[in-house]
């Protein structure tokens, strides 16, 4: 258990946004993807997700790890099926912000959602590193109460609300990890995590990649950082993390590209150069391959979880 305490203590947890969303018409989105973690309280809404159409019911919580592609349906009854690309241009037909007026309608389907980052040593997306699919949190009133408190606080006008929201976000993440441990969910992945995050050489590599994201991150350079041979560094990295270093680097670069597209007015060409792609056309091809949509549409994108 001490290993899990160390991991929790190493987490940098950052609240990003929260909202309540009304389902105007049931919708299925194929290949849904986000670089942010989302936790969704299904206040009065049913959800199906994943290739086996798993079901989450009203008053349950759906956890969506960052970086995982999935098919997801919000609402009960026959749904309209869209690609992720089609959803971007038509989402307002199916989802809208839940208002006080909507609460008077007993037939309204709606959900509450929170998006956030959780990074180990401010370098590695914790839930992404577990390589786990979306999952349902059931019979956990504490998590439900914390989500409701955070959303209520976020939409209040009380002094210090940002500080309270930050503290509640940290509590939610800790309770989610406790839920996984208590229910023995993803035991193998959590055990692997607790092992490799204790290796200081790996932490040095993570930190270097974060600092030099737009520079030379070849295996030769990473080998020098970790003080191992160039022939061994790829095997070493994959042995501890389950992925090869260049795949990890590309994910980190694309995650930063999404962040820059959403938060700046920099051109796609400049963003590609900033994260290490000298060839803009190649950057755009890799971006669309990873996210299923062109970089320009990602700039205009709003998460399915936050409308």
């Amino acid at each position: 258990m001490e290993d899990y305490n160390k991991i929790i203590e190493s987490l940098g947890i950052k609240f990003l946004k929260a909202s309540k969303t009304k389902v105007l018409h049931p919708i299925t989105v194929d290949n849904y993807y986000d670089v942010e973690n989302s936790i969704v309280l299904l206040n009065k809404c049913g959800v199906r997700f994943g290739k086996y159409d798993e079901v989450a019911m009203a008053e349950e919580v759906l956890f969506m790890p960052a970086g995982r592609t999935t098919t997801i349906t919000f609402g009960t009854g026959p749904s309209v099926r869209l690609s992720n690309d089609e959803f971007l241009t038509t989402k307002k037909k199916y989802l809208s912000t839940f208002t006080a007026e909507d609460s008077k309608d007993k037939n309204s389907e709606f959900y509450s959602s929170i998006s956030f980052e959780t990074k180990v040593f401010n370098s590695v997306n914790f839930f992404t590193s577990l390589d786990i699919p979306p999952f349902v949190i059931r019979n956990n009133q504490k998590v439900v109460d914390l989500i409701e408190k955070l959303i209520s606080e976020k939409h209040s006008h009380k002094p210090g609300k940002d500080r309270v929201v930050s503290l509640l976000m940290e509590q939610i993440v800790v309770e989610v990890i406790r839920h996984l441990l208590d229910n023995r969910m993803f035991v193998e992945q959590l055990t692997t995590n607790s092992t490799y995050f204790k290796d200081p050489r790996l932490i040095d590599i993570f930190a270097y990649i974060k600092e030099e994201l737009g520079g030379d991150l070849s295996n030769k350079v990473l080998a020098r950082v970790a003080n191992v041979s160039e022939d061994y560094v790829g095997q070493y990295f994959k042995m501890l993390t389950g992925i090869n270093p260049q795949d990890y680097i590309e994910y980190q670069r694309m995650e930063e590209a999404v962040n820059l597209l959403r938060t700046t007015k920099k051109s796609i060409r400049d963003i590609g150069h900033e994260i290490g792609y000298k060839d803009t056309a190649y950057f755009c091809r890799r971006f669309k391959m990873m996210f299923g949509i062109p970089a320009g549409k990602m700039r205009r994108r709003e998460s399915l979880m936050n409308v």
Side-chain angles (χ1 to χ4, degrees):
M1 196 59 66
E2 182 59 31
D3 288 343
Y4 297 127
N5 284 331
K6 289 178 180 178
I7 288 178
I8 290 171
E9 288 302 314
S10 73
L11 295 179
I13 300 166
K14 181 181 179 183
F15 167 82
L16 298 174
K17 53 196 173 188
S19 66
K20 281 192 174 183
T21 302
K22 178 181 179 181
V23 180
L24 301 176
H25 189 286
I27 180 173
T28 298
V29 181
D30 289 322
N31 299 317
Y32 175 75
Y33 185 100
D34 206 339
V35 295
E36 300 164 355
N37 300 298
S38 295
I39 189 164
V40 186
L41 172 59
L42 303 168
N43 304 91
K44 190 179 176 185
C45 180
V47 165
R48 301 193 311 275
F49 64 97
K51 62 180 181 179
Y52 300 115
D53 258 0
E54 295 179 64
V55 176
M57 306 297 289
E59 295 305 315
E60 294 182 336
V61 174
L62 175 64
F63 192 97
M64 302 280 288
R68 292 292 304 223
T69 300
T70 191
T71 295
I72 187 165
T73 300
F74 276 91
T76 54
S79 65
V80 174
R81 195 174 199 104
L82 300 174
S83 68
N84 206 25
D85 203 355
E86 292 169 329
F87 166 71
L88 296 177
T89 56
T90 61
K91 59 182 178 289
K92 290 185 178 179
K93 291 183 180 180
Y94 309 102
L95 304 173
S96 67
T97 300
F98 187 80
T99 66
E101 281 297 309
D102 292 323
S103 62
K104 299 175 184 177
D105 181 0
K106 294 182 179 180
N107 295 317
S108 287
E109 289 193 282
F110 69 99
Y111 58 88
S112 305
S113 57
I114 300 168
S115 296
F116 61 99
E117 289 181 356
T118 305
K119 292 190 175 183
V120 182
F121 303 112
N122 288 320
S123 299
V124 185
N125 282 297
F126 175 70
F127 291 105
T128 304
S129 72
L130 292 176
D131 193 26
I132 57 178
F135 59 90
V136 181
I137 298 173
R138 295 187 171 95
N139 304 316
N140 194 320
Q141 191 60 43
K142 190 163 189 178
V143 170
V144 170
D145 291 343
L146 286 169
I147 293 170
E148 290 180 334
K149 284 180 183 178
L150 187 151
I151 290 180
S152 174
E153 189 70 30
K154 181 61 183 174
H155 292 96
S156 75
H157 299 286
K158 298 177 181 178
K161 73 171 186 177
D162 289 342
R163 181 67 179 273
V164 172
V165 164
S166 180
L167 292 171
L168 287 169
M169 189 72 255
E170 291 192 4
Q171 282 187 268
I172 289 171
V173 171
V174 171
E175 289 302 326
V176 168
I177 295 172
R178 287 177 173 178
H179 182 87
L180 295 180
L181 294 172
D182 290 345
N183 291 276
R184 299 194 61 76
M185 297 171 68
F186 313 117
V187 173
E188 184 178 343
Q189 294 92 326
L190 284 163
T191 301
T192 300
N193 249 270
S194 67
T195 299
Y196 77 67
F197 283 135
K198 293 187 292 185
D199 191 312
R201 293 176 300 176
L202 187 64
I203 302 308
D204 287 345
I205 291 177
F206 288 147
Y208 187 85
I209 290 171
K210 181 183 178 184
E211 292 298 319
E212 303 294 333
L213 202 55
D216 180 4
L217 293 174
S218 63
N219 280 9
K220 182 177 181 179
V221 171
L222 299 183
R224 189 170 65 245
V225 172
N227 197 27
V228 298
S229 72
E230 183 179 350
D231 291 337
Y232 178 65
V233 70
Q235 178 186 343
Y236 161 77
F237 191 95
K238 188 169 184 178
M239 177 178 65
L240 292 178
T241 67
I243 59 174
N244 72 60
Q246 295 309 315
D247 285 346
Y248 171 78
I249 289 164
E250 181 168 57
Y251 177 79
Q252 294 301 309
R253 283 173 165 163
M254 290 301 179
E255 182 183 54
E256 180 60 15
V258 172
N259 177 54
L260 292 170
L261 284 165
R262 288 177 171 175
T263 60
T264 75
K265 294 183 179 180
K266 293 179 180 179
S267 69
I268 291 172
R269 178 178 180 275
D270 287 346
I271 288 172
H273 286 189
E274 186 170 330
I275 62 170
Y277 291 89
K278 294 179 181 179
D279 184 335
T280 304
Y282 178 72
F283 163 63
C284 290
R285 285 198 302 273
R286 295 301 299 170
F287 189 98
K288 187 172 183 181
M289 186 177 295
M290 181 170 286
F291 297 111
I293 58 174
K297 284 196 174 181
M298 179 65 82
R299 168 159 271 158
R300 299 189 296 273
R301 182 181 186 277
E302 288 294 336
S303 168
L304 175 63
M305 304 305 169
N306 299 275
V307 177

